[in-house]
Amino acid sequence: MACKPPTQLATPGKIHRHRKFTATSTTNPFSWQATGAVNLGPGTPVRPTSILVVGATGTLGRQIVRRALDEGYDVRCLLRPRPAPADFLRDWGATVVNADLSKPETIPATMVGVHTIIDCATGRPEEPIKTVDWEGKVALIQCAKAMGIQKYVFYSIHNCDKHPEVPLMEIKYCTEKFLQDSGLTHVIIRLCGFMQGLIGQYAVPILEEKSVWGTDAPTRIAYMDTQDIARLTLIALRNEKINGKLLTFAGPRAWTTEEVITLCERLAGQDANVTTVPVSVLRFTRQLTRFFEWTNDVADRLAFSEVLTSDIVFSVPMNGTYNLLGVDQKDIVTLEKYLQDYFTNILKKLKDLKAQSKQSDFYI
């Protein structure tokens, strides 16, 4: 499909003007400089081990930070100013810098001395999708080009190019194209789903005997452990043959919602209280919310949910990617192993707590 920004979003050219970016006198058409920022042109020597992780507190971002630190990288984390500081990142050994992607003038200073950007950021549920996932990313890529960043890693969504009707997926695809056209050395990684997301969605409610929400659709998703995603990302980062490529990471097997719930029930040793939402209800809710301007972003997110609950397989064969990265498939965590480890640990803790409670009752 031809990549066009969604109609409700500003075009990149408009963002250049509105965001106070002015062209420098160099011949580089992407050389933009924020007022008061230090401009490091291409070729400025920086350590290849110096990386900036954007979205470092997220499910994937924190795994990227931890893995990169373990492998000896000098990690800087770009975070929005927040009331509760992310002290765990500093405790791990990372440097934390503050900036806001919706305020591009705050971004350039965070990139001084950085070789590579790993972009894990995404907007918060309460924010309009365009604020971070489009306008913010355009500004981030422009800043990276202006500051002479030597490699940019961007995470996207599998099959985003096939669903222009879904704003989040269209924005991801348009961001891919914008990055490819920027002239930056880059790697684009499309993802299918995180195993970590299944804990709060299925495992915890089953243990707490609360309702588990599912759909009647046969969608299959190849969930992947974010630790494996982080490990494969850093392998790709060091491989110059990967530059300019678009990779898709998928777990060893694609699972339906019903299969995931059944697996959780078996490992938890108890039945789930499943509430099934028909896909037709999601479609109706999406259409209804379109009537009200203030619910447009809700409708956009429901559109994404509708894709995830349709008759689609979110998976790809990984043999070629494993060969390219020099990775053994046996080293990739399966969903069975991931959930088994979770339930084993949590059930042991619950058993220990119960034993302590009984012991305390005896002494009383």
Side-chain angles (χ1 to χ4, degrees):
M1 77 179 184
C3 181
K4 295 181 181 179
T7 54
Q8 70 269 30
L9 302 182
T11 63
K14 290 180 181 177
I15 292 174
H16 293 166
R17 295 191 292 273
H18 292 316
R19 298 302 190 184
K20 301 179 183 177
F21 277 72
T22 55
T24 66
S25 59
T26 67
T27 57
N28 183 350
F30 282 91
S31 291
W32 300 89
Q33 185 174 1
T35 305
V38 178
N39 184 21
L40 292 182
T44 302
V46 294
R47 294 188 303 277
T49 54
S50 174
I51 66 175
L52 176 68
V53 180
V54 186
T57 58
T59 303
L60 176 59
R62 63 183 61 201
Q63 297 297 343
I64 296 289
V65 172
R66 193 64 181 267
R67 183 78 192 192
L69 288 168
D70 288 347
E71 294 191 10
Y73 285 87
D74 178 13
V75 181
R76 190 181 303 177
C77 303
L78 188 157
L79 303 179
R80 281 190 272 195
R82 48 196 286 157
D87 289 334
F88 71 93
L89 296 172
R90 295 186 180 90
D91 293 341
W92 290 350
T95 301
V96 174
V97 292
N98 290 133
D100 190 333
L101 297 190
S102 66
K103 300 176 181 177
E105 66 274 11
T106 68
I107 300 174
T110 69
M111 298 183 182
V112 175
V114 168
H115 180 279
T116 297
I117 291 175
I118 301 181
D119 178 7
C120 313
T122 191
R124 296 167 179 163
E126 68 272 14
E127 294 177 321
I129 290 176
K130 67 177 183 180
T131 302
V132 170
D133 288 292
W134 174 243
E135 294 175 345
K137 294 306 178 78
V138 166
L140 188 65
I141 292 168
Q142 290 171 337
C143 282
K145 183 65 178 180
M147 298 297 289
I149 297 300
Q150 296 178 47
K151 189 172 292 188
Y152 193 109
V153 178
F154 174 65
Y155 292 103
S156 188
I157 301 173
H158 177 51
N159 279 341
C160 63
D161 54 322
K162 297 178 181 177
H163 295 281
E165 77 281 5
V166 180
L168 179 60
M169 299 184 81
E170 184 184 17
I171 285 173
K172 287 291 186 183
Y173 180 62
C174 287
T175 306
E176 289 180 3
K177 300 300 290 183
F178 191 79
L179 178 59
Q180 290 166 342
D181 293 341
S182 71
L184 282 166
T185 299
H186 64 273
V187 178
I188 296 171
I189 301 173
R190 292 182 178 178
L191 304 174
C192 297
F194 300 157
M195 291 182 184
Q196 280 72 9
L198 300 176
I199 300 301
Q201 193 170 2
Y202 301 116
V204 172
I206 289 174
L207 288 171
E208 295 181 348
E209 299 181 355
K210 294 181 179 178
S211 290
V212 174
W213 296 87
T215 72
D216 56 0
T219 311
R220 308 183 74 87
I221 300 176
Y223 301 100
M224 197 170 196
D225 188 345
T226 53
Q227 292 187 28
D228 281 334
I229 295 173
R231 181 168 64 89
L232 267 56
T233 296
L234 291 171
I235 291 173
L237 194 62
R238 293 187 292 269
N239 188 338
E240 296 299 319
K241 295 180 181 178
I242 307 294
N243 291 347
K245 289 189 179 296
L246 190 157
L247 306 176
T248 299
F249 290 172
R253 174 189 161 186
W255 296 73
T256 65
T257 297
E258 184 179 356
E259 288 172 339
V260 173
I261 293 173
T262 300
L263 177 60
C264 288
E265 287 177 321
R266 177 169 61 81
L267 295 172
Q270 59 192 70
D271 293 335
N273 178 19
V274 182
T275 301
T276 301
V277 180
V279 175
S280 57
V281 172
L282 281 178
R283 293 195 182 104
F284 174 74
T285 306
R286 176 189 171 195
Q287 291 169 355
L288 181 64
T289 53
R290 283 292 184 197
F291 287 115
F292 306 99
E293 182 180 356
W294 59 87
T295 58
N296 271 346
D297 292 303
V298 174
D300 290 346
R301 296 182 191 281
L302 282 171
F304 184 56
S305 299
E306 187 179 320
V307 169
L308 291 180
T309 53
S310 59
D311 188 9
I312 292 176
V313 177
F314 276 78
S315 182
V316 292
M318 286 288 289
N319 289 337
T321 301
Y322 291 146
N323 291 336
L324 185 64
L325 298 177
V327 172
D328 190 334
Q329 183 177 353
K330 296 177 182 177
D331 295 330
I332 303 299
V333 174
T334 64
L335 184 60
E336 296 99 322
K337 178 68 167 60
Y338 176 81
L339 288 176
Q340 183 178 34
D341 287 348
Y342 172 79
F343 279 105
T344 299
N345 291 332
I346 200 70
L347 291 174
K348 182 179 183 302
K349 289 179 181 178
L350 291 174
K351 184 178 179 181
D352 291 344
L353 286 173
K354 188 175 181 180
Q356 290 175 12
S357 176
K358 284 184 178 180
Q359 186 177 28
S360 147
D361 290 342
F362 176 77
Y363 283 113
I364 290 174

